Coordinates of all heavy atoms in Angstrom, one line a residue:
M1170 N 23.2 -63.6 -36.0 CA 22.9 -63.0 -34.7 C 24.1 -62.4 -34.0 O 23.9 -61.6 -33.1 CB 22.3 -64.1 -33.9 CG 21.0 -64.7 -34.4 SD 19.8 -63.6 -34.6 CE 19.1 -63.3 -32.9
S1171 N 25.4 -62.8 -34.3 CA 26.5 -62.2 -33.7 C 26.5 -60.7 -34.0 O 27.1 -59.9 -33.2 CB 27.7 -63.0 -34.1 OG 28.0 -62.7 -35.4
F1172 N 26.1 -60.4 -35.2 CA 26.1 -58.9 -35.5 C 25.2 -58.1 -34.6 O 25.6 -57.0 -34.1 CB 25.6 -58.7 -37.1 CG 25.4 -57.3 -37.4 CD1 26.5 -56.5 -37.6 CD2 24.2 -56.7 -37.6 CE1 26.4 -55.2 -38.1 CE2 24.0 -55.5 -38.0 CZ 25.2 -54.6 -38.1
L1173 N 24.0 -58.7 -34.4 CA 23.2 -57.9 -33.3 C 23.7 -57.8 -32.0 O 23.7 -56.7 -31.4 CB 21.8 -58.7 -33.3 CG 21.0 -58.6 -34.6 CD1 19.7 -59.5 -34.5 CD2 20.6 -57.2 -35.0
S1174 N 24.4 -58.9 -31.5 CA 25.0 -58.8 -30.3 C 26.1 -57.8 -30.2 O 26.4 -57.0 -29.2 CB 25.4 -60.2 -29.7 OG 26.4 -60.7 -30.6
E1175 N 26.9 -57.7 -31.2 CA 28.0 -56.9 -31.3 C 27.6 -55.4 -31.5 O 28.2 -54.6 -30.8 CB 28.9 -57.1 -32.6 CG 29.7 -58.3 -32.5 CD 30.7 -58.6 -33.7 OE1 31.0 -57.6 -34.3 OE2 31.0 -59.7 -34.0
L1176 N 26.5 -55.1 -32.2 CA 25.9 -53.9 -32.2 C 25.3 -53.4 -30.9 O 25.6 -52.2 -30.5 CB 24.7 -53.9 -33.3 CG 24.1 -52.5 -33.5 CD1 25.0 -51.5 -34.1 CD2 22.8 -52.7 -34.4
L1177 N 24.7 -54.2 -30.2 CA 24.2 -54.0 -28.9 C 25.3 -53.6 -27.9 O 25.2 -52.6 -27.2 CB 23.3 -55.0 -28.4 CG 22.4 -54.7 -27.1 CD1 21.6 -53.5 -27.4 CD2 21.7 -55.8 -26.7
S1178 N 26.3 -54.5 -27.9 CA 27.4 -54.2 -26.9 C 28.1 -53.0 -27.4 O 28.6 -52.2 -26.5 CB 28.5 -55.4 -27.0 OG 29.0 -55.6 -28.2
F1179 N 28.2 -52.7 -28.6 CA 28.8 -51.3 -29.1 C 28.1 -50.2 -28.6 O 28.6 -49.2 -28.1 CB 29.0 -51.3 -30.6 CG 29.4 -50.0 -31.1 CD1 30.8 -49.7 -31.1 CD2 28.5 -49.1 -31.7 CE1 31.2 -48.3 -31.6 CE2 28.9 -47.9 -32.2 CZ 30.3 -47.5 -32.1
L1180 N 26.8 -50.2 -28.7 CA 25.9 -49.1 -28.3 C 26.0 -49.0 -26.7 O 26.0 -47.8 -26.2 CB 24.5 -49.4 -28.6 CG 24.2 -49.4 -30.2 CD1 22.8 -49.6 -30.4 CD2 24.5 -47.9 -30.7
K1181 N 26.1 -50.1 -25.9 CA 26.2 -50.0 -24.5 C 27.7 -49.3 -24.2 O 27.6 -48.6 -23.3 CB 26.1 -51.3 -23.9 CG 24.7 -51.9 -23.7 CD 24.8 -53.2 -23.1 CE 23.3 -53.8 -23.0 NZ 23.3 -55.0 -22.4
R1182 N 28.6 -49.9 -24.8 CA 30.0 -49.4 -24.4 C 30.2 -47.9 -24.8 O 30.8 -47.2 -23.9 CB 31.0 -50.2 -25.3 CG 32.4 -50.1 -24.7 CD 33.4 -51.0 -25.4 NE 32.8 -52.4 -25.9 CZ 32.8 -52.7 -27.1 NH1 33.4 -52.1 -28.0 NH2 32.3 -54.0 -27.3
R1183 N 29.6 -47.5 -25.8 CA 29.8 -46.1 -26.2 C 28.8 -45.2 -25.7 O 28.8 -44.0 -26.1 CB 29.9 -46.0 -27.7 CG 30.9 -46.8 -28.4 CD 32.2 -46.0 -28.2 NE 33.2 -46.8 -29.0 CZ 34.5 -46.6 -29.0 NH1 34.9 -45.5 -28.3 NH2 35.4 -47.3 -29.6
K1184 N 27.9 -45.7 -24.9 CA 26.8 -44.9 -24.3 C 25.9 -44.3 -25.4 O 25.5 -43.1 -25.2 CB 27.3 -43.9 -23.3 CG 28.2 -44.5 -22.3 CD 27.6 -44.4 -20.9 CE 28.6 -44.7 -19.8 NZ 28.8 -46.0 -19.5
K1185 N 25.5 -45.1 -26.3 CA 24.8 -44.5 -27.5 C 23.4 -45.3 -27.5 O 22.8 -45.5 -28.6 CB 25.4 -44.7 -28.9 CG 26.8 -44.0 -28.9 CD 26.6 -42.6 -29.1 CE 28.0 -41.9 -29.2 NZ 27.9 -40.6 -29.2
L1186 N 22.9 -45.7 -26.5 CA 21.7 -46.5 -26.5 C 20.4 -45.7 -27.0 O 19.5 -46.3 -27.4 CB 21.3 -47.0 -25.0 CG 22.2 -48.1 -24.6 CD1 21.9 -48.4 -23.0 CD2 22.0 -49.3 -25.5
W1187 N 20.6 -44.3 -27.1 CA 19.5 -43.5 -27.6 C 19.5 -43.8 -29.1 O 18.4 -43.3 -29.7 CB 19.7 -42.1 -27.3 CG 21.1 -41.7 -27.8 CD1 22.3 -41.6 -27.2 CD2 21.3 -41.0 -29.1 NE1 23.3 -41.0 -28.0 CE2 22.7 -40.7 -29.2 CE3 20.6 -40.7 -30.3 CZ2 23.2 -40.1 -30.3 CZ3 21.1 -40.1 -31.3 CH2 22.5 -39.8 -31.4
L1188 N 20.4 -44.4 -29.8 CA 20.3 -44.7 -31.2 C 19.5 -46.0 -31.4 O 19.1 -46.3 -32.6 CB 21.7 -44.8 -31.8 CG 22.5 -43.7 -32.0 CD1 24.0 -44.1 -32.4 CD2 21.8 -42.8 -33.0
L1189 N 19.2 -46.7 -30.5 CA 18.6 -48.0 -30.6 C 17.1 -47.9 -31.2 O 16.8 -48.7 -32.1 CB 18.5 -48.8 -29.3 CG 18.1 -50.2 -29.3 CD1 19.1 -51.1 -30.3 CD2 18.1 -50.9 -28.0
P1190 N 16.4 -46.9 -30.7 CA 14.9 -46.8 -31.4 C 15.3 -46.4 -33.0 O 14.4 -46.8 -33.8 CB 14.3 -45.7 -30.6 CG 15.0 -45.7 -29.4 CD 16.4 -46.2 -29.6
L1191 N 16.3 -45.6 -33.2 CA 16.4 -45.3 -34.6 C 16.8 -46.4 -35.5 O 16.4 -46.6 -36.6 CB 17.5 -44.1 -34.7 CG 17.5 -43.2 -35.9 CD1 16.4 -42.3 -35.8 CD2 18.8 -42.5 -35.7
V1192 N 17.7 -47.3 -34.9 CA 18.0 -48.4 -35.8 C 16.9 -49.5 -35.9 O 16.7 -49.9 -37.0 CB 19.3 -49.1 -35.0 CG1 19.6 -50.6 -35.6 CG2 20.5 -48.3 -34.9
L1193 N 16.1 -49.5 -34.9 CA 14.9 -50.5 -35.0 C 13.9 -49.8 -36.0 O 13.3 -50.6 -36.7 CB 14.3 -50.7 -33.6 CG 15.0 -51.4 -32.5 CD1 14.3 -51.5 -31.3 CD2 15.3 -52.8 -33.0
L1194 N 13.8 -48.6 -36.0 CA 12.8 -48.0 -36.9 C 13.2 -48.3 -38.4 O 12.6 -48.5 -39.3 CB 12.7 -46.5 -36.6 CG 11.7 -45.7 -37.5 CD1 10.2 -46.2 -37.2 CD2 11.8 -44.2 -37.3
M1195 N 14.6 -48.1 -38.6 CA 15.2 -48.3 -39.9 C 14.9 -49.8 -40.3 O 14.7 -50.0 -41.5 CB 16.6 -48.0 -40.0 CG 16.7 -46.4 -40.0 SD 18.5 -45.7 -40.3 CE 19.5 -46.9 -39.7
V1196 N 15.2 -50.7 -39.5 CA 15.0 -52.0 -39.8 C 13.5 -52.4 -40.1 O 13.2 -53.1 -41.1 CB 15.5 -53.0 -38.6 CG1 15.0 -54.4 -38.8 CG2 17.0 -52.9 -38.6
L1197 N 12.6 -51.8 -39.4 CA 11.2 -52.0 -39.6 C 10.8 -51.4 -41.0 O 10.1 -52.1 -41.8 CB 10.3 -51.4 -38.6 CG 10.3 -52.2 -37.2 CD1 9.5 -51.4 -36.1 CD2 9.7 -53.5 -37.5
I1198 N 11.2 -50.3 -41.3 CA 10.9 -49.6 -42.6 C 11.4 -50.5 -43.7 O 10.9 -50.7 -44.8 CB 11.4 -48.1 -42.7 CG1 10.4 -47.4 -41.8 CG2 11.2 -47.6 -44.1 CD1 10.8 -45.9 -41.6
G1199 N 12.7 -50.9 -43.6 CA 13.3 -51.7 -44.6 C 12.6 -53.0 -44.8 O 12.3 -53.5 -45.9
G1200 N 12.2 -53.7 -43.8 CA 11.4 -54.9 -43.8 C 10.1 -54.6 -44.4 O 9.5 -55.6 -45.3
L1201 N 9.4 -53.6 -44.2 CA 8.2 -53.3 -44.7 C 8.3 -53.1 -46.3 O 7.5 -53.6 -47.0 CB 7.6 -52.0 -44.1 CG 6.3 -51.5 -44.7 CD1 5.1 -52.4 -44.4 CD2 5.9 -50.1 -44.1
L1202 N 9.4 -52.4 -46.7 CA 9.6 -52.3 -48.1 C 9.9 -53.5 -48.9 O 9.4 -53.7 -50.0 CB 10.8 -51.2 -48.4 CG 10.4 -49.8 -48.0 CD1 11.6 -48.9 -48.2 CD2 9.3 -49.2 -48.8
I1203 N 10.6 -54.4 -48.2 CA 11.0 -55.7 -48.9 C 9.7 -56.5 -48.9 O 9.5 -57.2 -49.9 CB 12.1 -56.3 -48.0 CG1 13.4 -55.7 -48.2 CG2 12.2 -57.9 -48.4 CD1 14.6 -56.2 -47.3
L1204 N 8.9 -56.6 -47.9 CA 7.7 -57.4 -47.9 C 6.6 -56.9 -48.9 O 5.9 -57.7 -49.4 CB 7.1 -57.5 -46.4 CG 7.9 -58.3 -45.6 CD1 7.3 -58.2 -44.1 CD2 8.0 -59.8 -46.0
A1205 N 6.6 -55.6 -49.0 CA 5.6 -55.0 -49.9 C 6.0 -54.8 -51.3 O 5.3 -54.3 -52.1 CB 5.1 -53.6 -49.3
Q1206 N 7.2 -55.3 -51.6 CA 7.8 -55.1 -53.0 C 6.9 -55.7 -54.0 O 6.7 -55.1 -55.1 CB 9.2 -55.6 -53.1 CG 9.9 -55.2 -54.1 CD 11.4 -55.6 -54.0 OE1 11.8 -56.5 -53.3 NE2 12.3 -55.0 -54.7
G1207 N 6.3 -56.9 -53.8 CA 5.5 -57.6 -54.9 C 4.1 -57.6 -54.7 O 3.4 -58.2 -55.4
S1208 N 3.6 -56.8 -53.7 CA 2.3 -56.8 -53.3 C 1.5 -55.7 -54.0 O 2.1 -54.8 -54.6 CB 2.0 -56.7 -51.8 OG 2.4 -55.4 -51.4
V1209 N 0.2 -55.7 -53.9 CA -0.6 -54.6 -54.5 C -0.5 -53.3 -53.6 O -0.8 -52.1 -54.2 CB -2.1 -55.0 -54.4 CG1 -3.1 -54.0 -55.0 CG2 -2.3 -56.4 -55.1
L1210 N 0.0 -53.3 -52.5 CA 0.2 -52.1 -51.6 C 1.4 -51.4 -51.9 O 1.6 -50.3 -51.4 CB 0.1 -52.6 -50.1 CG -1.2 -53.3 -49.7 CD1 -0.9 -53.6 -48.2 CD2 -2.3 -52.3 -49.6
A1211 N 2.3 -51.9 -52.7 CA 3.6 -51.2 -53.0 C 3.4 -49.8 -53.5 O 4.1 -48.9 -53.0 CB 4.3 -52.1 -54.1
P1212 N 2.5 -49.4 -54.4 CA 2.4 -48.0 -54.8 C 2.0 -47.2 -53.7 O 2.5 -46.0 -53.6 CB 1.4 -48.0 -55.9 CG 1.3 -49.4 -56.5 CD 1.6 -50.2 -55.3
F1213 N 1.3 -47.6 -52.8 CA 0.7 -46.7 -51.6 C 1.8 -46.5 -50.7 O 2.0 -45.5 -50.1 CB -0.5 -47.4 -51.0 CG -1.6 -47.4 -52.0 CD1 -2.0 -48.8 -52.4 CD2 -2.3 -46.3 -52.5 CE1 -3.1 -48.9 -53.4 CE2 -3.3 -46.5 -53.3 CZ -3.8 -47.8 -53.7
I1214 N 2.6 -47.6 -50.3 CA 3.7 -47.5 -49.4 C 4.9 -46.5 -50.0 O 5.4 -45.8 -49.2 CB 4.3 -48.9 -49.2 CG1 3.3 -49.7 -48.3 CG2 5.6 -48.8 -48.4 CD1 3.6 -51.0 -48.1
Y1215 N 5.1 -46.6 -51.3 CA 6.1 -45.7 -51.8 C 5.9 -44.3 -51.9 O 6.6 -43.4 -51.9 CB 6.6 -46.2 -53.3 CG 7.3 -47.5 -53.2 CD1 6.8 -48.7 -53.9 CD2 8.5 -47.7 -52.6 CE1 7.6 -49.8 -53.9 CE2 9.2 -48.8 -52.5 CZ 8.8 -49.9 -53.1 OH 9.6 -51.1 -53.1
T1216 N 4.5 -44.1 -51.9 CA 4.0 -42.6 -51.9 C 4.2 -42.0 -50.6 O 4.3 -40.8 -50.4 CB 2.6 -42.5 -52.3 OG1 1.8 -43.2 -51.4 CG2 2.4 -42.9 -53.8
I1217 N 4.3 -42.9 -49.4 CA 4.5 -42.4 -48.0 C 5.8 -41.8 -48.0 O 6.1 -40.8 -47.3 CB 4.3 -43.5 -47.0 CG1 2.7 -43.8 -47.1 CG2 4.7 -43.1 -45.6 CD1 2.4 -45.0 -46.2
F1218 N 6.8 -42.5 -48.5 CA 8.2 -42.1 -48.4 C 8.6 -41.2 -49.6 O 9.6 -40.8 -49.7 CB 9.2 -43.3 -48.3 CG 8.7 -44.2 -47.2 CD1 8.2 -45.4 -47.4 CD2 9.0 -43.8 -46.0 CE1 7.8 -46.2 -46.3 CE2 8.6 -44.6 -44.8 CZ 8.1 -45.9 -45.0

């Protein structure tokens, strides 16, 4: 959790808060790929990207 707090403080300090939605989107896509790795939906998800 310290990584997340450091990342957030870095974004605030450098006035790069506009990057936060991009970071969240990348985390969500990564989580989706990890969760769908062993499921039946994996071929359909991989065709999207």
Side-chain angles (χ1 to χ4, degrees):
M1170 294 305 278
S1171 66
F1172 174 74
L1173 294 176
S1174 63
E1175 285 182 31
L1176 179 65
L1177 190 58
S1178 66
F1179 172 78
L1180 291 175
K1181 281 182 183 178
R1182 195 175 324 124
R1183 300 287 182 181
K1184 306 248 191 277
K1185 303 284 186 191
L1186 285 177
W1187 56 272
L1188 285 174
L1189 194 60
L1191 206 66
V1192 170
L1193 291 176
L1194 185 67
M1195 289 191 323
V1196 167
L1197 286 174
I1198 289 174
L1201 177 67
L1202 290 176
I1203 289 172
L1204 289 176
Q1206 198 169 18
S1208 73
V1209 182
L1210 298 175
F1213 300 109
I1214 291 174
Y1215 287 122
T1216 58
I1217 292 174
F1218 301 109

